[in-house]
Amino acid sequence: MKIYQDHAWPSTLEEAIVIQETLRYRVITEDELREPIQSVAGVDMGFEADGTISRAAVAVLSFPDLQVIETSLAHRPTTFPYVPGFLSFREIPAVLDALEKITTIPDIILCDGQGIAHPRRLGIASHLGLLIDIPTIGVAKSLFIGKHEELPETRGNWQPLIHNGETIGAVLRSRTGVKPLYISCGHRISLPTAIDYVLRCTPKYRLPETTRIADRLASAK
């Protein structure tokens, strides 16, 4: 698949902040989907050799039946440190390598991380979506920023995630009685649509099938 890279990868946090502040205004939080949706993908990361080697996995699934169509793996040296709020600079280079190997272009990509639920509104899902020009959704396992009201225990319930008076995402119960997920727009998708597709990709477990399969690939030895 084609990668639309439009910036050099930074070596310092100061350079990374400039990139985030520049790109944040290009993020689209309205639906620009290629319908009907026939495939969805998950991306995830693992690390080898004490974190010095990045291992990126992509899993493309058919939709709505969620059967694996294609997977890919890529390895490359890790060049950016682990710093919360800057994970895209550490992870995306290897993810792009893995995406370049696939032949099935997914209609939506679900990322293990934040979209606009980020201090500068450019988490990994938004950053990746801009670089590849594909709709993306941030599906995080933990809260990064923002506050929300109490969430009912039943699957499908959600509450807005608010930061500085702005709705930046949703806290979503993807399975009754288990910890919620933190959903946010990545790029070219609205929050209600993102919530809908996350639920449709989580028929049995807490995490979307896209994430579960990509995670297994990224963590496999």
Side-chain angles (χ1 to χ4, degrees):
M1 65 177 290
K2 186 175 181 180
I3 307 300
Y4 296 87
Q5 292 195 58
D6 62 354
H7 66 74
W9 291 99
S11 58
T12 67
L13 292 183
E14 291 76 15
E15 291 172 348
I17 289 172
V18 170
I19 292 170
Q20 289 178 337
E21 291 288 3
T22 301
L23 294 183
R24 64 183 292 181
Y25 299 106
R26 303 182 191 176
V27 173
I28 297 168
T29 56
E30 298 177 354
D31 292 330
E32 291 190 359
L33 306 177
R34 182 179 62 187
E35 295 184 307
I37 302 300
Q38 298 180 313
S39 62
V40 290
V43 298
D44 207 349
M45 289 293 300
F47 292 91
E48 302 174 2
D50 295 324
T52 61
I53 300 296
S54 299
R55 176 187 177 112
V58 176
V60 184
L61 280 61
S62 57
F63 186 87
D65 55 336
L66 303 177
Q67 300 299 305
V68 176
I69 299 173
E70 186 178 0
T71 63
S72 70
L73 278 172
H75 299 76
R76 71 152 54 199
T78 307
T79 58
F80 202 84
Y82 174 84
V83 182
F86 297 91
L87 297 186
S88 64
F89 299 100
R90 179 178 173 86
E91 299 183 359
I92 284 181
V95 169
L96 293 177
D97 290 345
L99 286 169
E100 285 185 313
K101 294 182 177 183
I102 64 173
T103 58
T104 305
I105 308 303
D107 297 312
I108 300 175
I109 297 180
L110 286 72
C111 298
D112 180 26
Q114 312 290 346
I116 65 167
H118 180 277
R120 286 168 294 283
R121 306 297 185 257
L122 199 87
I124 187 169
S126 298
H127 197 162
L128 180 64
L130 284 169
L131 293 179
I132 61 177
D133 195 30
I134 288 176
T136 51
I137 303 172
V139 185
K141 296 187 284 287
S142 59
L143 178 67
F144 184 35
I145 61 169
K147 296 181 179 180
H148 60 87
E149 299 294 329
E150 185 175 351
L151 184 66
E153 291 290 321
T154 307
R155 168 182 160 84
N157 279 289
W158 65 276
Q159 289 287 344
L161 184 62
I162 308 297
H163 180 251
N164 292 340
E166 178 185 357
T167 297
I168 58 171
V171 52
L172 171 68
R173 192 77 68 185
S174 59
R175 188 179 181 193
T176 299
V178 302
K179 292 181 180 179
L181 298 174
Y182 298 87
I183 312 304
S184 56
C185 305
H187 181 52
R188 290 179 51 188
I189 198 164
S190 67
L191 183 58
T193 302
I195 292 169
D196 177 50
Y197 278 103
V198 170
L199 285 171
R200 293 169 74 181
C201 290
T202 54
K204 295 182 180 179
Y205 304 102
R206 178 193 178 211
L207 295 177
E209 290 301 293
T210 47
T211 302
R212 283 166 34 80
I213 295 168
D215 175 71
R216 286 202 298 266
L217 290 167
S219 338
K221 300 298 183 182

